[in-house]
Amino acid sequence: MAPFLTAALRCAPILIAGCTTGTSAAAPSADMHPIARFDQAIAAGLPRAVPLPGPASLSRGTGATSGLVVEAHLDVGVRFVDGASGEMYLATWQGEPAVVTRSGDHLDITVAHHDGVSVTGFDGDSDAVHIIESTDDNAATGATKATAARHARRRRDTDGGPPAAPHLQKASPRPTLTFWMFLHDDTLDMDRKHIHARYVAWWIADMAKILPTRKLWAIYSQQVENVTDMAYGHEASLRDWTTIIDFYQRRNELPYVPGKFEYKFMLITSDEPMPGVTGLAWLGGEEAIASLSGRYSIVAHEYGHTLAAVHDDAEVRWSSAWPCETNLVATTAALRSNCYHYSTKNERNMRVHLAREWTMPVGRDSQEIPLLCK
């Protein structure tokens, strides 16, 4: 069972038989497109069972159910490079805890396993289900790139500038924290929404639990001149990225109010940001770089550093059948899995950091994740 969602679904046994929220609704037709079926079911209220196609091989273990049960809407804003906004939900899929992302003509179901992240997805232009199921050892393999090729071709539109501040589009009484991810030009052959589903969805769902007083946003940008074409792979990569983002913020007059509107900017690359490492970040700062050649926890690891989470407070947990590493473990081991969580100490570090409004970089992380995350 995926470790990042542990709450039991109180209504699950009844939901499969047609549990509703108090109003009767017609069941989605079996001949409807899977995405239309999902939308119709969700519109009837949550929690809700949504019968979706999926091969039996996705079921891991005995007693797995055959459909999707959506428990709750996740209050996290998402904006993709094609301008589509996204909605996220907590769910179970094939009997395992999952996070669902619905945007545009796309639906992705993310399940985090001890050895990697699997994604079951649906597109509006096809009735077929597409599946990405790989381990941390081949997180960015050519096979996954091939699966996403046709989506990447459709999404090579140039980002003409920053979106209107999401926090101003949709007023929130809570402070807003935006995780802004710039996809480097060398990732163009990877599906943009699958990057979200594999590296970000499970993590930001966990962040919503850790930081309940913040409104969280995940924003993606691509093909931004003099930004996503940055040369990297050398010792000064993080400093160069910081200079570029400083200029980008000033040029676009991004609203920034410590304690109210705050940003964390990440450059997502295909290769190493500097020799021998897959991630760089300022401890307690605003900028980070993460390579998709790293483990599935690489985005969580580097963003954790920007929120003052440190290696020394990470831990290896032995409470389950297999030992797992929390997101900030510095050196990974082949015989340990991912917890897809931060340690309790690092969760506290992040909350304290935001409460004190530390916003200036205090130094580069000196123990970045090794290139080979074993």
Side-chain angles (χ1 to χ4, degrees):
M1 177 173 286
F4 65 96
L5 295 170
T6 57
L9 296 179
R10 296 185 297 275
C11 196
I14 306 174
L15 281 170
I16 300 302
C19 175
T20 69
T21 57
T23 59
S24 60
S29 171
D31 59 1
M32 291 178 65
H33 187 279
I35 295 180
R37 197 180 307 169
F38 176 88
D39 290 345
Q40 179 175 317
I42 295 304
L46 299 177
R48 186 70 50 178
V50 186
L52 293 176
S57 60
L58 285 179
S59 298
R60 297 185 174 212
T62 59
T65 61
S66 59
L68 177 71
V69 179
V70 182
E71 182 185 7
H73 179 259
L74 189 61
D75 188 18
V76 172
V78 183
R79 179 189 182 274
F80 289 102
V81 296
D82 58 2
S85 59
E87 298 292 333
M88 298 183 66
Y89 303 86
L90 300 180
T92 60
W93 169 240
Q94 304 292 337
E96 297 188 271
V99 175
V100 178
T101 306
R102 172 73 178 93
S103 63
D105 64 348
H106 210 74
L107 175 70
D108 280 322
I109 304 169
T110 301
V111 177
H113 304 292
H114 73 278
D115 57 349
V117 174
S118 67
V119 177
T120 303
F122 302 88
D123 279 310
D125 58 0
S126 172
D127 289 332
V129 59
H130 58 264
I131 302 162
I132 300 174
E133 188 161 11
S134 55
T135 66
D136 268 316
D137 292 335
N138 60 348
T141 59
T144 298
K145 294 179 183 180
T147 302
R150 65 188 178 90
H151 308 295
R153 286 194 295 270
R154 288 188 304 165
R155 297 186 173 99
R156 294 185 184 217
D157 53 314
T158 300
D159 187 319
H167 355 75
L168 302 181
Q169 293 174 357
K170 186 181 292 185
S172 172
R174 293 173 293 163
T176 298
L177 177 59
T178 296
F179 297 101
W180 203 325
M181 288 158 280
F182 290 81
L183 304 173
H184 196 276
D185 291 355
D186 65 9
T187 69
L188 282 173
D189 59 350
M190 302 178 190
D191 185 88
R192 329 317 270 151
K193 292 178 181 177
H194 286 168
I195 291 175
H196 170 84
R198 297 164 72 204
Y199 292 87
V200 178
W202 61 267
W203 162 71
I204 204 162
D206 194 44
M207 290 299 295
K209 179 194 71 175
I210 296 169
L211 303 174
T213 62
R214 295 299 197 278
K215 170 66 178 183
L216 304 182
W217 277 83
I219 294 180
Y220 297 87
S221 289
Q222 72 175 24
Q223 291 183 285
V224 183
E225 188 176 4
N226 298 321
V227 178
T228 60
D229 54 358
M230 184 191 96
Y232 67 92
H234 51 82
E235 294 288 335
S237 294
L238 183 59
R239 294 187 183 280
D240 289 351
W241 175 239
T242 301
T243 300
I244 287 171
I245 285 299
D246 285 346
F247 178 76
Y248 186 85
Q249 286 182 276
R250 291 195 301 271
R251 181 183 66 193
N252 293 290
E253 300 180 345
L254 297 182
Y256 183 90
V257 181
K260 186 175 182 182
F261 298 150
E262 298 183 72
Y263 300 86
K264 301 293 180 181
F265 299 96
M266 178 174 286
L267 179 65
I268 294 182
T269 66
S270 177
D271 299 319
E272 302 171 4
M274 62 178 286
V277 300
T278 54
L280 296 166
W282 295 110
L283 182 62
E286 297 173 8
E287 298 85 17
I289 306 176
S291 169
L292 299 184
S293 65
R295 303 193 84 188
Y296 283 110
S297 57
I298 186 63
V299 170
H301 187 110
E302 301 309 329
Y303 267 141
H305 281 317
T306 68
L307 291 167
V310 294
H311 294 153
D312 288 347
D313 287 337
E315 62 186 23
V316 175
R317 294 178 174 172
W318 299 84
S319 57
S320 60
W322 200 262
C324 68
E325 304 167 343
T326 57
N327 291 332
L328 264 294
V329 166
T331 303
T332 60
L335 296 180
R336 298 197 298 248
S337 64
N338 287 330
C339 297
Y340 299 98
H341 270 309
Y342 294 101
S343 67
T344 300
K345 286 185 178 179
N346 271 326
E347 288 184 2
R348 184 181 302 113
N349 289 342
M350 291 188 285
R351 286 190 290 265
V352 168
H353 167 78
L354 289 172
R356 293 179 179 175
E357 299 177 11
W358 298 347
T359 59
M360 295 300 294
V362 297
R364 195 188 78 191
D365 170 34
S366 61
Q367 294 179 299
E368 298 89 349
I369 299 176
L371 173 63
L372 298 178
C373 301
K374 296 183 177 180

